[in-house]
Amino acid sequence: MKVKNSLRSLKARHRACRVVRRKGRIFVINKQQGRFKARQG
């Protein structure tokens, strides 16, 4: 899982990417392409 300083840029990798907050962390998840994951915090 990638950890980047800007997850907004990772959101542009695929149109199904979503930026989600869970338990104080920010995740990029993608249900169509499971390899596009990222975490911050």
PDB file of all heavy atoms in Angstrom:
ATOM      1  N   MET A   1       0.849  -1.180   0.000  1.00  0.00           N
ATOM      2  CA  MET A   1       0.000   0.000   0.000  1.00  0.00           C
ATOM      3  C   MET A   1       0.890   1.237   0.000  1.00  0.00           C
ATOM      4  O   MET A   1       1.837   1.306   0.762  1.00  0.00           O
ATOM      5  CB  MET A   1      -0.871  -0.017   1.238  1.00  0.00           C
ATOM      6  CG  MET A   1      -2.212   0.585   0.953  1.00  0.00           C
ATOM      7  SD  MET A   1      -3.340   0.714   2.322  1.00  0.00           S
ATOM      8  CE  MET A   1      -3.417  -0.869   2.992  1.00  0.00           C
ATOM      9  N   LYS A   2       0.589   2.172  -0.841  1.00  0.00           N
ATOM     10  CA  LYS A   2       1.438   3.343  -0.964  1.00  0.00           C
ATOM     11  C   LYS A   2       1.069   4.383   0.092  1.00  0.00           C
ATOM     12  O   LYS A   2      -0.084   4.544   0.439  1.00  0.00           O
ATOM     13  CB  LYS A   2       1.271   3.963  -2.351  1.00  0.00           C
ATOM     14  CG  LYS A   2       1.746   3.069  -3.446  1.00  0.00           C
ATOM     15  CD  LYS A   2       2.088   3.885  -4.661  1.00  0.00           C
ATOM     16  CE  LYS A   2       2.346   2.977  -5.812  1.00  0.00           C
ATOM     17  NZ  LYS A   2       3.648   2.679  -6.130  1.00  0.00           N
ATOM     18  N   VAL A   3       2.066   5.080   0.582  1.00  0.00           N
ATOM     19  CA  VAL A   3       1.864   6.206   1.495  1.00  0.00           C
ATOM     20  C   VAL A   3       2.452   7.425   0.800  1.00  0.00           C
ATOM     21  O   VAL A   3       3.643   7.480   0.544  1.00  0.00           O
ATOM     22  CB  VAL A   3       2.561   5.950   2.845  1.00  0.00           C
ATOM     23  CG1 VAL A   3       2.368   7.137   3.759  1.00  0.00           C
ATOM     24  CG2 VAL A   3       2.017   4.696   3.496  1.00  0.00           C
ATOM     25  N   LYS A   4       1.616   8.374   0.468  1.00  0.00           N
ATOM     26  CA  LYS A   4       2.046   9.547  -0.288  1.00  0.00           C
ATOM     27  C   LYS A   4       1.757  10.800   0.520  1.00  0.00           C
ATOM     28  O   LYS A   4       0.897  10.807   1.385  1.00  0.00           O
ATOM     29  CB  LYS A   4       1.280   9.640  -1.609  1.00  0.00           C
ATOM     30  CG  LYS A   4       1.643   8.577  -2.600  1.00  0.00           C
ATOM     31  CD  LYS A   4       2.766   9.016  -3.493  1.00  0.00           C
ATOM     32  CE  LYS A   4       2.293   9.904  -4.595  1.00  0.00           C
ATOM     33  NZ  LYS A   4       3.314  10.098  -5.602  1.00  0.00           N
ATOM     34  N   ASN A   5       2.453  11.877   0.158  1.00  0.00           N
ATOM     35  CA  ASN A   5       2.185  13.138   0.830  1.00  0.00           C
ATOM     36  C   ASN A   5       0.929  13.812   0.281  1.00  0.00           C
ATOM     37  O   ASN A   5       0.358  14.665   0.922  1.00  0.00           O
ATOM     38  CB  ASN A   5       3.389  14.084   0.722  1.00  0.00           C
ATOM     39  CG  ASN A   5       3.828  14.275  -0.711  1.00  0.00           C
ATOM     40  OD1 ASN A   5       3.181  13.772  -1.619  1.00  0.00           O
ATOM     41  ND2 ASN A   5       4.909  14.985  -0.910  1.00  0.00           N
ATOM     42  N   SER A   6       0.470  13.405  -0.898  1.00  0.00           N
ATOM     43  CA  SER A   6      -0.762  13.973  -1.446  1.00  0.00           C
ATOM     44  C   SER A   6      -1.587  12.852  -2.055  1.00  0.00           C
ATOM     45  O   SER A   6      -1.247  12.311  -3.097  1.00  0.00           O
ATOM     46  CB  SER A   6      -0.438  15.027  -2.504  1.00  0.00           C
ATOM     47  OG  SER A   6      -1.639  15.458  -3.110  1.00  0.00           O
ATOM     48  N   LEU A   7      -2.682  12.490  -1.379  1.00  0.00           N
ATOM     49  CA  LEU A   7      -3.532  11.426  -1.888  1.00  0.00           C
ATOM     50  C   LEU A   7      -4.466  11.919  -2.981  1.00  0.00           C
ATOM     51  O   LEU A   7      -5.047  11.117  -3.693  1.00  0.00           O
ATOM     52  CB  LEU A   7      -4.362  10.825  -0.748  1.00  0.00           C
ATOM     53  CG  LEU A   7      -3.546  10.063   0.290  1.00  0.00           C
ATOM     54  CD1 LEU A   7      -4.465   9.432   1.301  1.00  0.00           C
ATOM     55  CD2 LEU A   7      -2.703   8.992  -0.356  1.00  0.00           C
ATOM     56  N   ARG A   8      -4.595  13.231  -3.106  1.00  0.00           N
ATOM     57  CA  ARG A   8      -5.441  13.755  -4.181  1.00  0.00           C
ATOM     58  C   ARG A   8      -4.869  13.382  -5.543  1.00  0.00           C
ATOM     59  O   ARG A   8      -5.599  13.157  -6.500  1.00  0.00           O
ATOM     60  CB  ARG A   8      -5.554  15.260  -4.075  1.00  0.00           C
ATOM     61  CG  ARG A   8      -6.198  15.688  -2.787  1.00  0.00           C
ATOM     62  CD  ARG A   8      -7.568  16.278  -3.029  1.00  0.00           C
ATOM     63  NE  ARG A   8      -8.231  16.534  -1.763  1.00  0.00           N
ATOM     64  CZ  ARG A   8      -9.392  16.003  -1.431  1.00  0.00           C
ATOM     65  NH1 ARG A   8      -9.988  15.185  -2.257  1.00  0.00           N
ATOM     66  NH2 ARG A   8      -9.945  16.271  -0.283  1.00  0.00           N
ATOM     67  N   SER A   9      -3.534  13.335  -5.631  1.00  0.00           N
ATOM     68  CA  SER A   9      -2.928  12.965  -6.905  1.00  0.00           C
ATOM     69  C   SER A   9      -3.144  11.489  -7.208  1.00  0.00           C
ATOM     70  O   SER A   9      -3.283  11.099  -8.357  1.00  0.00           O
ATOM     71  CB  SER A   9      -1.442  13.282  -6.886  1.00  0.00           C
ATOM     72  OG  SER A   9      -0.803  12.591  -5.836  1.00  0.00           O
ATOM     73  N   LEU A  10      -3.209  10.649  -6.155  1.00  0.00           N
ATOM     74  CA  LEU A  10      -3.451   9.226  -6.384  1.00  0.00           C
ATOM     75  C   LEU A  10      -4.888   8.961  -6.810  1.00  0.00           C
ATOM     76  O   LEU A  10      -5.171   7.952  -7.443  1.00  0.00           O
ATOM     77  CB  LEU A  10      -3.161   8.433  -5.104  1.00  0.00           C
ATOM     78  CG  LEU A  10      -1.716   8.379  -4.668  1.00  0.00           C
ATOM     79  CD1 LEU A  10      -1.589   7.541  -3.419  1.00  0.00           C
ATOM     80  CD2 LEU A  10      -0.851   7.801  -5.765  1.00  0.00           C
ATOM     81  N   LYS A  11      -5.776   9.877  -6.459  1.00  0.00           N
ATOM     82  CA  LYS A  11      -7.174   9.723  -6.849  1.00  0.00           C
ATOM     83  C   LYS A  11      -7.332   9.773  -8.369  1.00  0.00           C
ATOM     84  O   LYS A  11      -8.253   9.198  -8.927  1.00  0.00           O
ATOM     85  CB  LYS A  11      -7.976  10.843  -6.192  1.00  0.00           C
ATOM     86  CG  LYS A  11      -9.453  10.767  -6.390  1.00  0.00           C
ATOM     87  CD  LYS A  11     -10.130  11.870  -5.596  1.00  0.00           C
ATOM     88  CE  LYS A  11     -11.594  11.904  -5.904  1.00  0.00           C
ATOM     89  NZ  LYS A  11     -11.987  12.986  -6.756  1.00  0.00           N
ATOM     90  N   ALA A  12      -6.384  10.413  -9.045  1.00  0.00           N
ATOM     91  CA  ALA A  12      -6.489  10.576 -10.497  1.00  0.00           C
ATOM     92  C   ALA A  12      -6.029   9.340 -11.269  1.00  0.00           C
ATOM     93  O   ALA A  12      -6.097   9.334 -12.488  1.00  0.00           O
ATOM     94  CB  ALA A  12      -5.654  11.781 -10.934  1.00  0.00           C
ATOM     95  N   ARG A  13      -5.570   8.296 -10.561  1.00  0.00           N
ATOM     96  CA  ARG A  13      -5.069   7.127 -11.282  1.00  0.00           C
ATOM     97  C   ARG A  13      -6.170   6.373 -12.009  1.00  0.00           C
ATOM     98  O   ARG A  13      -5.941   5.774 -13.039  1.00  0.00           O
ATOM     99  CB  ARG A  13      -4.384   6.166 -10.304  1.00  0.00           C
ATOM    100  CG  ARG A  13      -3.067   6.677  -9.852  1.00  0.00           C
ATOM    101  CD  ARG A  13      -2.276   5.611  -9.175  1.00  0.00           C
ATOM    102  NE  ARG A  13      -2.844   5.259  -7.888  1.00  0.00           N
ATOM    103  CZ  ARG A  13      -2.327   4.355  -7.082  1.00  0.00           C
ATOM    104  NH1 ARG A  13      -1.250   3.716  -7.416  1.00  0.00           N
ATOM    105  NH2 ARG A  13      -2.886   4.096  -5.928  1.00  0.00           N
ATOM    106  N   HIS A  14      -7.384   6.382 -11.434  1.00  0.00           N
ATOM    107  CA  HIS A  14      -8.486   5.620 -12.034  1.00  0.00           C
ATOM    108  C   HIS A  14      -9.762   6.353 -11.674  1.00  0.00           C
ATOM    109  O   HIS A  14      -9.853   6.977 -10.624  1.00  0.00           O
ATOM    110  CB  HIS A  14      -8.484   4.203 -11.455  1.00  0.00           C
ATOM    111  CG  HIS A  14      -9.368   3.251 -12.203  1.00  0.00           C
ATOM    112  ND1 HIS A  14     -10.688   3.054 -11.859  1.00  0.00           N
ATOM    113  CD2 HIS A  14      -9.113   2.441 -13.248  1.00  0.00           C
ATOM    114  CE1 HIS A  14     -11.204   2.158 -12.675  1.00  0.00           C
ATOM    115  NE2 HIS A  14     -10.273   1.772 -13.536  1.00  0.00           N
ATOM    116  N   ARG A  15     -10.762   6.272 -12.545  1.00  0.00           N
ATOM    117  CA  ARG A  15     -11.960   7.060 -12.273  1.00  0.00           C
ATOM    118  C   ARG A  15     -12.815   6.481 -11.154  1.00  0.00           C
ATOM    119  O   ARG A  15     -13.686   7.153 -10.624  1.00  0.00           O
ATOM    120  CB  ARG A  15     -12.798   7.226 -13.534  1.00  0.00           C
ATOM    121  CG  ARG A  15     -13.202   5.925 -14.176  1.00  0.00           C
ATOM    122  CD  ARG A  15     -13.898   6.174 -15.486  1.00  0.00           C
ATOM    123  NE  ARG A  15     -14.161   4.933 -16.167  1.00  0.00           N
ATOM    124  CZ  ARG A  15     -15.190   4.137 -15.872  1.00  0.00           C
ATOM    125  NH1 ARG A  15     -16.020   4.476 -14.925  1.00  0.00           N
ATOM    126  NH2 ARG A  15     -15.363   3.018 -16.527  1.00  0.00           N
ATOM    127  N   ALA A  16     -12.557   5.239 -10.752  1.00  0.00           N
ATOM    128  CA  ALA A  16     -13.324   4.631  -9.660  1.00  0.00           C
ATOM    129  C   ALA A  16     -12.672   4.837  -8.294  1.00  0.00           C
ATOM    130  O   ALA A  16     -13.193   4.340  -7.303  1.00  0.00           O
ATOM    131  CB  ALA A  16     -13.516   3.144  -9.924  1.00  0.00           C
ATOM    132  N   CYS A  17     -11.559   5.551  -8.229  1.00  0.00           N
ATOM    133  CA  CYS A  17     -10.876   5.768  -6.951  1.00  0.00           C
ATOM    134  C   CYS A  17     -11.688   6.705  -6.075  1.00  0.00           C
ATOM    135  O   CYS A  17     -12.227   7.708  -6.543  1.00  0.00           O
ATOM    136  CB  CYS A  17      -9.486   6.367  -7.170  1.00  0.00           C
ATOM    137  SG  CYS A  17      -8.271   5.188  -7.744  1.00  0.00           S
ATOM    138  N   ARG A  18     -11.744   6.366  -4.778  1.00  0.00           N
ATOM    139  CA  ARG A  18     -12.459   7.191  -3.806  1.00  0.00           C
ATOM    140  C   ARG A  18     -11.521   7.499  -2.642  1.00  0.00           C
ATOM    141  O   ARG A  18     -10.762   6.644  -2.212  1.00  0.00           O
ATOM    142  CB  ARG A  18     -13.673   6.434  -3.247  1.00  0.00           C
ATOM    143  CG  ARG A  18     -14.681   6.033  -4.310  1.00  0.00           C
ATOM    144  CD  ARG A  18     -15.678   7.138  -4.564  1.00  0.00           C
ATOM    145  NE  ARG A  18     -16.604   6.760  -5.598  1.00  0.00           N
ATOM    146  CZ  ARG A  18     -16.553   7.186  -6.846  1.00  0.00           C
ATOM    147  NH1 ARG A  18     -15.581   7.980  -7.222  1.00  0.00           N
ATOM    148  NH2 ARG A  18     -17.447   6.829  -7.720  1.00  0.00           N
ATOM    149  N   VAL A  19     -11.607   8.718  -2.127  1.00  0.00           N
ATOM    150  CA  VAL A  19     -10.858   9.106  -0.941  1.00  0.00           C
ATOM    151  C   VAL A  19     -11.794   8.979   0.254  1.00  0.00           C
ATOM    152  O   VAL A  19     -12.854   9.590   0.283  1.00  0.00           O
ATOM    153  CB  VAL A  19     -10.326  10.552  -1.071  1.00  0.00           C
ATOM    154  CG1 VAL A  19      -9.624  10.973   0.205  1.00  0.00           C
ATOM    155  CG2 VAL A  19      -9.383  10.656  -2.245  1.00  0.00           C
ATOM    156  N   VAL A  20     -11.400   8.152   1.232  1.00  0.00           N
ATOM    157  CA  VAL A  20     -12.275   7.804   2.352  1.00  0.00           C
ATOM    158  C   VAL A  20     -11.522   8.041   3.648  1.00  0.00           C
ATOM    159  O   VAL A  20     -10.317   7.774   3.731  1.00  0.00           O
ATOM    160  CB  VAL A  20     -12.683   6.308   2.251  1.00  0.00           C
ATOM    161  CG1 VAL A  20     -13.575   5.915   3.403  1.00  0.00           C
ATOM    162  CG2 VAL A  20     -13.376   6.027   0.946  1.00  0.00           C
ATOM    163  N   ARG A  21     -12.227   8.544   4.687  1.00  0.00           N
ATOM    164  CA  ARG A  21     -11.642   8.685   6.012  1.00  0.00           C
ATOM    165  C   ARG A  21     -12.154   7.565   6.897  1.00  0.00           C
ATOM    166  O   ARG A  21     -13.357   7.374   7.025  1.00  0.00           O
ATOM    167  CB  ARG A  21     -12.044  10.019   6.625  1.00  0.00           C
ATOM    168  CG  ARG A  21     -11.376  11.182   5.953  1.00  0.00           C
ATOM    169  CD  ARG A  21     -11.405  12.390   6.832  1.00  0.00           C
ATOM    170  NE  ARG A  21     -10.563  12.199   7.998  1.00  0.00           N
ATOM    171  CZ  ARG A  21     -10.259  13.163   8.866  1.00  0.00           C
ATOM    172  NH1 ARG A  21     -10.726  14.355   8.704  1.00  0.00           N
ATOM    173  NH2 ARG A  21      -9.493  12.920   9.891  1.00  0.00           N
ATOM    174  N   ARG A  22     -11.232   6.823   7.498  1.00  0.00           N
ATOM    175  CA  ARG A  22     -11.581   5.748   8.430  1.00  0.00           C
ATOM    176  C   ARG A  22     -10.666   5.830   9.639  1.00  0.00           C
ATOM    177  O   ARG A  22      -9.458   5.740   9.497  1.00  0.00           O
ATOM    178  CB  ARG A  22     -11.402   4.373   7.790  1.00  0.00           C
ATOM    179  CG  ARG A  22     -12.380   4.077   6.701  1.00  0.00           C
ATOM    180  CD  ARG A  22     -12.107   2.714   6.136  1.00  0.00           C
ATOM    181  NE  ARG A  22     -12.987   2.470   4.996  1.00  0.00           N
ATOM    182  CZ  ARG A  22     -12.774   1.512   4.106  1.00  0.00           C
ATOM    183  NH1 ARG A  22     -11.745   0.733   4.221  1.00  0.00           N
ATOM    184  NH2 ARG A  22     -13.614   1.340   3.119  1.00  0.00           N
ATOM    185  N   LYS A  23     -11.269   5.994  10.821  1.00  0.00           N
ATOM    186  CA  LYS A  23     -10.529   5.978  12.096  1.00  0.00           C
ATOM    187  C   LYS A  23      -9.364   6.965  12.082  1.00  0.00           C
ATOM    188  O   LYS A  23      -8.253   6.637  12.487  1.00  0.00           O
ATOM    189  CB  LYS A  23     -10.025   4.571  12.392  1.00  0.00           C
ATOM    190  CG  LYS A  23     -11.150   3.586  12.601  1.00  0.00           C
ATOM    191  CD  LYS A  23     -10.632   2.210  12.873  1.00  0.00           C
ATOM    192  CE  LYS A  23     -11.796   1.249  13.028  1.00  0.00           C
ATOM    193  NZ  LYS A  23     -11.338  -0.132  13.166  1.00  0.00           N
ATOM    194  N   GLY A  24      -9.607   8.159  11.540  1.00  0.00           N
ATOM    195  CA  GLY A  24      -8.579   9.190  11.526  1.00  0.00           C
ATOM    196  C   GLY A  24      -7.564   9.047  10.421  1.00  0.00           C
ATOM    197  O   GLY A  24      -6.683   9.882  10.291  1.00  0.00           O
ATOM    198  N   ARG A  25      -7.637   7.998   9.625  1.00  0.00           N
ATOM    199  CA  ARG A  25      -6.724   7.812   8.506  1.00  0.00           C
ATOM    200  C   ARG A  25      -7.447   8.099   7.205  1.00  0.00           C
ATOM    201  O   ARG A  25      -8.661   7.978   7.133  1.00  0.00           O
ATOM    202  CB  ARG A  25      -6.194   6.391   8.465  1.00  0.00           C
ATOM    203  CG  ARG A  25      -5.378   6.142   9.660  1.00  0.00           C
ATOM    204  CD  ARG A  25      -4.711   4.835   9.683  1.00  0.00           C
ATOM    205  NE  ARG A  25      -3.940   4.852  10.915  1.00  0.00           N
ATOM    206  CZ  ARG A  25      -3.228   3.869  11.376  1.00  0.00           C
ATOM    207  NH1 ARG A  25      -3.166   2.782  10.736  1.00  0.00           N
ATOM    208  NH2 ARG A  25      -2.582   3.976  12.481  1.00  0.00           N
ATOM    209  N   ILE A  26      -6.674   8.473   6.207  1.00  0.00           N
ATOM    210  CA  ILE A  26      -7.243   8.755   4.892  1.00  0.00           C
ATOM    211  C   ILE A  26      -6.789   7.647   3.953  1.00  0.00           C
ATOM    212  O   ILE A  26      -5.603   7.350   3.863  1.00  0.00           O
ATOM    213  CB  ILE A  26      -6.799  10.134   4.382  1.00  0.00           C
ATOM    214  CG1 ILE A  26      -7.174  11.205   5.403  1.00  0.00           C
ATOM    215  CG2 ILE A  26      -7.448  10.435   3.048  1.00  0.00           C
ATOM    216  CD1 ILE A  26      -6.655  12.569   5.058  1.00  0.00           C
ATOM    217  N   PHE A  27      -7.756   7.041   3.267  1.00  0.00           N
ATOM    218  CA  PHE A  27      -7.477   5.939   2.361  1.00  0.00           C
ATOM    219  C   PHE A  27      -7.946   6.288   0.967  1.00  0.00           C
ATOM    220  O   PHE A  27      -8.923   7.017   0.797  1.00  0.00           O
ATOM    221  CB  PHE A  27      -8.234   4.666   2.791  1.00  0.00           C
ATOM    222  CG  PHE A  27      -7.760   4.075   4.082  1.00  0.00           C
ATOM    223  CD1 PHE A  27      -8.308   4.463   5.274  1.00  0.00           C
ATOM    224  CD2 PHE A  27      -6.778   3.103   4.079  1.00  0.00           C
ATOM    225  CE1 PHE A  27      -7.894   3.914   6.462  1.00  0.00           C
ATOM    226  CE2 PHE A  27      -6.350   2.536   5.262  1.00  0.00           C
ATOM    227  CZ  PHE A  27      -6.906   2.944   6.452  1.00  0.00           C
ATOM    228  N   VAL A  28      -7.250   5.747  -0.017  1.00  0.00           N
ATOM    229  CA  VAL A  28      -7.760   5.732  -1.391  1.00  0.00           C
ATOM    230  C   VAL A  28      -8.114   4.286  -1.680  1.00  0.00           C
ATOM    231  O   VAL A  28      -7.270   3.403  -1.563  1.00  0.00           O
ATOM    232  CB  VAL A  28      -6.708   6.237  -2.402  1.00  0.00           C
ATOM    233  CG1 VAL A  28      -7.210   6.044  -3.824  1.00  0.00           C
ATOM    234  CG2 VAL A  28      -6.411   7.698  -2.171  1.00  0.00           C
ATOM    235  N   ILE A  29      -9.388   4.038  -2.018  1.00  0.00           N
ATOM    236  CA  ILE A  29      -9.841   2.687  -2.300  1.00  0.00           C
ATOM    237  C   ILE A  29     -10.461   2.652  -3.682  1.00  0.00           C
ATOM    238  O   ILE A  29     -10.918   3.660  -4.213  1.00  0.00           O
ATOM    239  CB  ILE A  29     -10.852   2.187  -1.247  1.00  0.00           C
ATOM    240  CG1 ILE A  29     -12.057   3.109  -1.174  1.00  0.00           C
ATOM    241  CG2 ILE A  29     -10.202   2.059   0.108  1.00  0.00           C
ATOM    242  CD1 ILE A  29     -13.175   2.567  -0.348  1.00  0.00           C
ATOM    243  N   ASN A  30     -10.440   1.478  -4.262  1.00  0.00           N
ATOM    244  CA  ASN A  30     -10.995   1.298  -5.596  1.00  0.00           C
ATOM    245  C   ASN A  30     -11.578  -0.104  -5.659  1.00  0.00           C
ATOM    246  O   ASN A  30     -10.861  -1.092  -5.528  1.00  0.00           O
ATOM    247  CB  ASN A  30      -9.901   1.471  -6.648  1.00  0.00           C
ATOM    248  CG  ASN A  30     -10.449   1.543  -8.041  1.00  0.00           C
ATOM    249  OD1 ASN A  30     -11.476   0.964  -8.354  1.00  0.00           O
ATOM    250  ND2 ASN A  30      -9.763   2.267  -8.893  1.00  0.00           N
ATOM    251  N   LYS A  31     -12.893  -0.207  -5.825  1.00  0.00           N
ATOM    252  CA  LYS A  31     -13.536  -1.514  -5.842  1.00  0.00           C
ATOM    253  C   LYS A  31     -13.376  -2.219  -7.181  1.00  0.00           C
ATOM    254  O   LYS A  31     -13.434  -3.446  -7.240  1.00  0.00           O
ATOM    255  CB  LYS A  31     -15.022  -1.367  -5.519  1.00  0.00           C
ATOM    256  CG  LYS A  31     -15.246  -0.980  -4.077  1.00  0.00           C
ATOM    257  CD  LYS A  31     -16.700  -0.923  -3.723  1.00  0.00           C
ATOM    258  CE  LYS A  31     -16.865  -0.594  -2.253  1.00  0.00           C
ATOM    259  NZ  LYS A  31     -18.255  -0.426  -1.892  1.00  0.00           N
ATOM    260  N   GLN A  32     -13.159  -1.469  -8.251  1.00  0.00           N
ATOM    261  CA  GLN A  32     -13.013  -2.108  -9.563  1.00  0.00           C
ATOM    262  C   GLN A  32     -11.591  -2.611  -9.775  1.00  0.00           C
ATOM    263  O   GLN A  32     -11.384  -3.726 -10.236  1.00  0.00           O
ATOM    264  CB  GLN A  32     -13.391  -1.125 -10.673  1.00  0.00           C
ATOM    265  CG  GLN A  32     -14.862  -0.769 -10.678  1.00  0.00           C
ATOM    266  CD  GLN A  32     -15.191   0.261 -11.740  1.00  0.00           C
ATOM    267  OE1 GLN A  32     -14.341   0.652 -12.528  1.00  0.00           O
ATOM    268  NE2 GLN A  32     -16.428   0.714 -11.743  1.00  0.00           N
ATOM    269  N   GLN A  33     -10.599  -1.786  -9.433  1.00  0.00           N
ATOM    270  CA  GLN A  33      -9.192  -2.177  -9.557  1.00  0.00           C
ATOM    271  C   GLN A  33      -8.604  -2.209  -8.149  1.00  0.00           C
ATOM    272  O   GLN A  33      -8.260  -1.178  -7.588  1.00  0.00           O
ATOM    273  CB  GLN A  33      -8.425  -1.165 -10.414  1.00  0.00           C
ATOM    274  CG  GLN A  33      -8.858  -1.129 -11.851  1.00  0.00           C
ATOM    275  CD  GLN A  33      -8.315  -2.310 -12.636  1.00  0.00           C
ATOM    276  OE1 GLN A  33      -7.331  -2.924 -12.266  1.00  0.00           O
ATOM    277  NE2 GLN A  33      -8.985  -2.626 -13.731  1.00  0.00           N
ATOM    278  N   GLY A  34      -8.506  -3.407  -7.588  1.00  0.00           N
ATOM    279  CA  GLY A  34      -8.068  -3.527  -6.200  1.00  0.00           C
ATOM    280  C   GLY A  34      -6.632  -3.132  -5.950  1.00  0.00           C
ATOM    281  O   GLY A  34      -6.240  -2.940  -4.804  1.00  0.00           O
ATOM    282  N   ARG A  35      -5.819  -2.990  -7.000  1.00  0.00           N
ATOM    283  CA  ARG A  35      -4.416  -2.641  -6.775  1.00  0.00           C
ATOM    284  C   ARG A  35      -4.227  -1.162  -6.475  1.00  0.00           C
ATOM    285  O   ARG A  35      -3.149  -0.770  -6.037  1.00  0.00           O
ATOM    286  CB  ARG A  35      -3.578  -3.040  -7.987  1.00  0.00           C
ATOM    287  CG  ARG A  35      -3.907  -2.257  -9.225  1.00  0.00           C
ATOM    288  CD  ARG A  35      -2.977  -2.703 -10.366  1.00  0.00           C
ATOM    289  NE  ARG A  35      -3.127  -1.845 -11.501  1.00  0.00           N
ATOM    290  CZ  ARG A  35      -3.811  -2.167 -12.584  1.00  0.00           C
ATOM    291  NH1 ARG A  35      -4.415  -3.325 -12.646  1.00  0.00           N
ATOM    292  NH2 ARG A  35      -3.905  -1.350 -13.605  1.00  0.00           N
ATOM    293  N   PHE A  36      -5.209  -0.345  -6.730  1.00  0.00           N
ATOM    294  CA  PHE A  36      -5.059   1.090  -6.479  1.00  0.00           C
ATOM    295  C   PHE A  36      -5.485   1.392  -5.045  1.00  0.00           C
ATOM    296  O   PHE A  36      -6.611   1.819  -4.799  1.00  0.00           O
ATOM    297  CB  PHE A  36      -5.908   1.898  -7.467  1.00  0.00           C
ATOM    298  CG  PHE A  36      -5.403   1.834  -8.877  1.00  0.00           C
ATOM    299  CD1 PHE A  36      -6.293   1.710  -9.931  1.00  0.00           C
ATOM    300  CD2 PHE A  36      -4.068   1.902  -9.161  1.00  0.00           C
ATOM    301  CE1 PHE A  36      -5.842   1.648 -11.245  1.00  0.00           C
ATOM    302  CE2 PHE A  36      -3.600   1.846 -10.469  1.00  0.00           C
ATOM    303  CZ  PHE A  36      -4.485   1.717 -11.499  1.00  0.00           C
ATOM    304  N   LYS A  37      -4.565   1.171  -4.103  1.00  0.00           N
ATOM    305  CA  LYS A  37      -4.851   1.460  -2.702  1.00  0.00           C
ATOM    306  C   LYS A  37      -3.782   2.396  -2.180  1.00  0.00           C
ATOM    307  O   LYS A  37      -2.629   2.318  -2.598  1.00  0.00           O
ATOM    308  CB  LYS A  37      -4.800   0.174  -1.888  1.00  0.00           C
ATOM    309  CG  LYS A  37      -5.902  -0.786  -2.143  1.00  0.00           C
ATOM    310  CD  LYS A  37      -5.772  -1.952  -1.210  1.00  0.00           C
ATOM    311  CE  LYS A  37      -6.661  -3.071  -1.661  1.00  0.00           C
ATOM    312  NZ  LYS A  37      -6.009  -4.368  -1.467  1.00  0.00           N
ATOM    313  N   ALA A  38      -4.165   3.238  -1.241  1.00  0.00           N
ATOM    314  CA  ALA A  38      -3.181   4.101  -0.597  1.00  0.00           C
ATOM    315  C   ALA A  38      -3.695   4.475   0.780  1.00  0.00           C
ATOM    316  O   ALA A  38      -4.889   4.442   1.048  1.00  0.00           O
ATOM    317  CB  ALA A  38      -2.919   5.363  -1.422  1.00  0.00           C
ATOM    318  N   ARG A  39      -2.752   4.829   1.669  1.00  0.00           N
ATOM    319  CA  ARG A  39      -3.111   5.212   3.019  1.00  0.00           C
ATOM    320  C   ARG A  39      -2.274   6.402   3.429  1.00  0.00           C
ATOM    321  O   ARG A  39      -1.120   6.533   3.021  1.00  0.00           O
ATOM    322  CB  ARG A  39      -2.832   4.059   3.969  1.00  0.00           C
ATOM    323  CG  ARG A  39      -3.385   4.297   5.344  1.00  0.00           C
ATOM    324  CD  ARG A  39      -2.835   3.286   6.305  1.00  0.00           C
ATOM    325  NE  ARG A  39      -1.486   3.691   6.684  1.00  0.00           N
ATOM    326  CZ  ARG A  39      -0.631   2.914   7.329  1.00  0.00           C
ATOM    327  NH1 ARG A  39      -0.955   1.701   7.641  1.00  0.00           N
ATOM    328  NH2 ARG A  39       0.563   3.357   7.658  1.00  0.00           N
ATOM    329  N   GLN A  40      -2.867   7.259   4.266  1.00  0.00           N
ATOM    330  CA  GLN A  40      -2.128   8.391   4.815  1.00  0.00           C
ATOM    331  C   GLN A  40      -2.565   8.605   6.257  1.00  0.00           C
ATOM    332  O   GLN A  40      -3.752   8.565   6.551  1.00  0.00           O
ATOM    333  CB  GLN A  40      -2.387   9.646   4.002  1.00  0.00           C
ATOM    334  CG  GLN A  40      -1.494  10.803   4.355  1.00  0.00           C
ATOM    335  CD  GLN A  40      -1.769  12.008   3.485  1.00  0.00           C
ATOM    336  OE1 GLN A  40      -2.901  12.347   3.278  1.00  0.00           O
ATOM    337  NE2 GLN A  40      -0.717  12.634   2.993  1.00  0.00           N
ATOM    338  N   GLY A  41      -1.579   8.803   7.146  1.00  0.00           N
ATOM    339  CA  GLY A  41      -1.917   9.096   8.534  1.00  0.00           C
ATOM    340  C   GLY A  41      -1.955   7.879   9.426  1.00  0.00           C
ATOM    341  O   GLY A  41      -1.892   6.752   9.013  1.00  0.00           O
TER     342      GLY A  41
END
